[in-house]
């Protein structure tokens, strides 16, 4: 079976949803808490998946804000907690909104 690039990006988005939900739990946030998520992806396919499926991811994880990290220093100063997934080439930050 051949996996199309579109299907691969959707799968990556679903994996990121799982990672964010796990991180939410480990940070002590409730499943109903609205959150802010910033991300940085070294893999161009992952970055494309996060951009293409950003609205889906945001709605699934209840993110009021979901987007690329513009300044890690500013994000950390805003109280966002860093999480990494080296196998995917992903770093993301989240906090209660």
């Amino acid at each position: 079976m051949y996996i199309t690039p579109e299907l691969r990006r959707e799968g990556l988005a679903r994996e990121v949803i799982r990672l964010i939900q796990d991180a939410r739990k480990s940070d002590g946030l409730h499943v109903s808490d609205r959150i802010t998520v910033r991300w940085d992806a070294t893999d161009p396919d992952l970055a494309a998946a996060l951009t293409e499926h950003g609205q889906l991811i945001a709605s699934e994880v209840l993110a009021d804000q979901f987007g690329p990290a513009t300044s890690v220093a500013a994000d950390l100063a805003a109280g966002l907690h860093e999480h990494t997934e080296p196998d995917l080439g992903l770093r993301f930050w989240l906090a209660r909104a």
Side-chain angles (χ1 to χ4, degrees):
M1 180 174 149
Y2 175 72
I3 296 177
T4 65
E6 294 81 12
L7 188 57
R8 182 172 186 278
R9 288 192 303 272
E10 184 178 339
L12 288 169
R14 295 283 175 195
E15 178 66 9
V16 169
I17 290 168
R18 184 191 65 75
L19 291 169
I20 292 172
Q21 297 293 42
D22 288 348
R24 170 200 294 276
K25 229 184 291 183
S26 73
D27 286 354
L29 299 173
H30 297 286
V31 72
S32 60
D33 287 339
R34 304 297 296 189
I35 60 174
T36 296
V37 179
R38 295 285 179 243
W39 55 265
D40 179 52
T42 57
D43 179 329
D45 287 338
L46 179 60
L50 294 172
T51 301
E52 181 179 337
H53 296 287
Q55 287 184 331
L56 168 70
I57 297 167
S59 69
E60 290 288 323
V61 302
L62 299 180
D64 287 341
Q65 296 180 38
F66 178 85
T70 54
S71 168
V72 173
D75 289 337
L76 292 175
L80 299 175
H81 298 113
E82 182 176 349
H83 300 272
T84 60
E85 182 54 50
D87 292 340
L88 287 179
L90 173 67
R91 288 190 315 161
F92 65 95
W93 297 264
L94 65 87
R96 184 177 290 121

